[in-house]
Amino acid sequence: MRKNNNCVLLILFVFTLFNSACAQNAGLAYLKEERLAEKSTILLNNDNSLIPLRNVGNLKIASIHLSNPFATGFDSLLNKYARVESYSMAGYVGKRALTQLSTDLKPYNTIIVQLNEADLNNTELVKFITDNQKSRNVVIAYFGKGEELAKLTDVTAPIIYADHASAVTAYYSAQAIFGGVAITQKLTGSITQKYRFGMGFLTEKTRLQYTVPEAVGINAKNLQDIDKIAKEAMDAHATPGCVVLVAKEGKVIFNKAYGYHTYAADMPDKITDIFDVASMTKISATTITAMQLKDEGKLSVDSTLAYYLPMARNTNKADIQVREVLMHQAGLIPDIPTFDKIKPTDHSADSSAAFPVKVNKGYFLRKDYYKDIMLPAMYNSPLKTRGQYVYSDISMLLMQQVVESIMKTPLNQYVQQQFYNRLSMQTAGFLPLYRFPEAQIIPSEDDEVYRKSELIGYVNDPTAALMGGVAGHAGLFASANDLAILYQMLLNKGTYGGDKFIKSETVDLFTAKQSAISRRGYGFDRWDPIADRKYPSELASPDSYGHTGYTGTCIWVDPKYNLVYIFLSNRTYPTVSSKLGSLNIRPRIQDVIYKAIAKGM
């Protein structure tokens, strides 16, 4: 019987330990168990190097269990890495139970089977495994006495073997399947005729691990001020809710949701919720695409806009270099007119061939409005002083034009295929309502002026909205965990899950300080020591790079501390509030992390 993945994606014990009064004791206890789990976990039958799983975006995965009492936690950890459907064999009874299960599993090319000692007495189940390993990927996670593995002599599929069953060994084995943790041990003795002393395969850690702060030398108690600052934000109506994620040394050590979707307080925020990340789109979609195209020799930051864009050749944008655009030093004005220039004849309450562009519920824009009105406005916009730093959305609209002209593919499709799917970022993408229910998406605004609608799953930014939800400067939606995956890839110098996405030298080039007059890199925002209050926070290192978003979001990567910090909120709901900024909520939470690092255990 299949379980709903939305139910098994829980905030696990592993992430709530540090919220108790005895935070450090609990964290140290978990860490001790985790180290024991590492010492007792062995990988067998991995001759074909299936483990850790790679290219998981192309896998359709099911996890089945019979009597594992820790199956919910195991499956929840699997779902951090990929969409995994859970099947309990308790729902399959009678002589044809396994036949029915096989039928239900036909859509999947990879199945993970959780076993304990009692399960191995089921000869039909063992036959089910040996039959399936012939036609698809099968992975066994076995918890129990080693000698019982004699019952799996005919199994050639990889077996992740832990000598005892516990919540922590379940979490560890689940993460090992995807490379969230390394398998470091071999058999210290012979347990069956087949599995003998010294056997076993070692693996490397290739993806994020999910654990406790103590695993990176942080006392969980010293992170509790994050709760206080988040509560302050809710109490002050700076934002209805937020999600905070901290990853250090490739390990997610804090991931917590606060508050509610709206001030009506009828739907609590969850760590799996999807946020409109606003201008974080600039680096999380457009810039990373530019980086990959540079690696392929298709884009040069020294080339001009006219080289890539025929429409720019007879405009004042012709000789602007790509590097100027990426640093916001091209003399571009901040933005172009949006809803205030819309005429009644430009939009309709109903979709039709004449009005195909959906802006939001009950608002459809006329055909070719972007091409007829917005694109010319962008190319004909005045230039101010070139070489001066002026933050501009037009910069990334032009970069979208550049990369799409090279790729011959819309930006949203390219990043989905080349980054989000390959990284198994399950929620990330543009136009989220095509894939997710409204209940999983955080509302960004109640627009009573132009769109006359609550914006749930429709982009907040007006320019992006009139472009149908896909733009180079805004339009991306994602959960905190997905963003952590993307920016861990950049922190890893372009590598994640055993695959290379961007060359390390390109990551260094784009994220380094490039401007002589501002803090900017290519696309990326950076640390600033000159601001009245150091940016992005008092304690961030000069190596830090990232971006903020208008809706109340930010991502900051600090290579010096091997740190990824993500804050997602909807400060723009129901209307925009400046309190998130005036109360310094994002930088203060960031500094709690640095102080906790400095204090250690």
Side-chain angles (χ1 to χ4, degrees), residues 189-458:
S190 298
I191 53 176
T192 71
Q193 277 295 113
K194 182 178 180 180
Y195 303 118
R196 305 184 68 80
F197 171 81
M199 295 182 69
F201 293 81
L202 307 184
T203 66
E204 295 182 354
K205 173 177 160 50
T206 60
R207 292 188 174 91
L208 285 169
Q209 179 184 353
Y210 299 85
T211 185
V212 290
E214 284 74 13
V216 294
I218 292 176
N219 185 335
K221 181 175 61 178
N222 293 329
L223 293 174
Q224 290 179 342
D225 279 350
I226 295 176
D227 294 353
K228 297 176 184 177
I229 298 170
K231 183 177 185 301
E232 179 185 342
M234 313 296 116
D235 291 345
H237 277 208
T239 179
C242 65
V243 171
V244 179
L245 185 146
V246 181
K248 180 167 169 52
E249 300 172 17
K251 302 174 182 180
V252 176
I253 58 166
F254 190 102
N255 189 10
K256 191 172 180 182
Y258 302 88
Y260 296 85
H261 283 209
T262 71
Y263 291 114
D266 54 359
M267 190 177 296
D269 275 18
K270 298 185 290 295
I271 60 172
T272 51
D273 281 338
I274 301 167
F275 287 76
D276 178 341
V277 302
S279 285
M280 283 170 58
T281 304
K282 291 179 170 75
I283 59 171
S284 305
T286 313
T287 300
I288 59 171
T289 297
M291 294 164 78
Q292 196 171 78
L293 293 175
K294 180 188 179 302
D295 283 348
E296 295 171 356
K298 298 175 181 177
L299 174 72
S300 169
V301 297
D302 298 317
S303 294
T304 64
L305 292 181
Y307 180 78
Y308 297 107
L309 303 173
M311 280 190 70
R313 290 171 188 167
N314 295 317
T315 73
N316 58 6
K317 314 291 188 300
D319 65 341
I320 292 175
Q321 290 181 307
V322 169
R323 68 170 69 247
E324 295 178 90
V325 177
L326 289 168
M327 291 188 293
H328 297 272
Q329 290 179 201
L332 300 166
I333 61 174
D335 49 37
I336 58 175
T338 56
F339 284 101
D340 52 332
K341 295 295 183 180
I342 293 281
K343 300 174 183 177
T345 53
D346 290 329
H347 66 97
S348 168
D350 300 306
S351 173
S352 65
F355 295 91
V357 181
K358 190 172 187 179
V359 176
N360 55 265
K361 287 180 182 177
Y363 196 117
F364 294 86
L365 200 61
R366 72 169 172 84
K367 184 181 180 182
D368 293 333
Y369 182 86
Y370 173 70
K371 184 176 70 175
D372 295 344
I373 305 296
M374 298 178 73
L375 207 53
M378 186 176 12
Y379 280 109
N380 296 327
S381 62
L383 286 184
K384 303 297 183 181
T385 305
R386 282 178 67 176
Q388 180 180 346
Y389 172 65
V390 177
Y391 182 75
S392 170
D393 284 345
I394 295 177
S395 67
M396 285 299 169
L397 289 170
L398 288 170
M399 281 307 303
Q400 178 188 5
Q401 291 281 305
V402 169
V403 297
E404 288 184 342
S405 74
I406 296 170
M407 302 178 302
K408 310 301 181 187
T409 303
L411 175 66
N412 60 315
Q413 294 179 22
Y414 184 89
V415 290
Q416 196 72 52
Q417 294 162 4
Q418 295 298 317
F419 288 98
Y420 309 152
N421 289 350
R422 287 179 61 200
L423 286 162
S424 195
M425 296 167 62
Q426 298 174 64
T427 63
F430 294 79
L431 308 173
L433 289 172
Y434 283 105
R435 297 186 295 147
F436 302 100
E438 281 191 0
Q440 196 176 343
I441 305 171
I442 300 291
S444 67
E445 186 179 350
D446 189 1
D447 185 352
E448 297 180 347
V449 179
Y450 294 113
R451 287 171 269 191
K452 310 291 184 183
S453 177
E454 189 177 48
L455 304 181
I456 307 176
Y458 298 101

Side-chain angles (χ1 to χ4, degrees), residues 50 55 71 102 115 206 213 252 271 290 298 344 364 411 417 481 517 553 577:
L50 181 62
N55 302 315
S102 295
L115 300 173
T206 60
V252 176
I271 60 172
K298 298 175 181 177
F364 294 86
L411 175 66
Q417 294 162 4
N481 189 68
I517 63 168
T553 62
S577 167

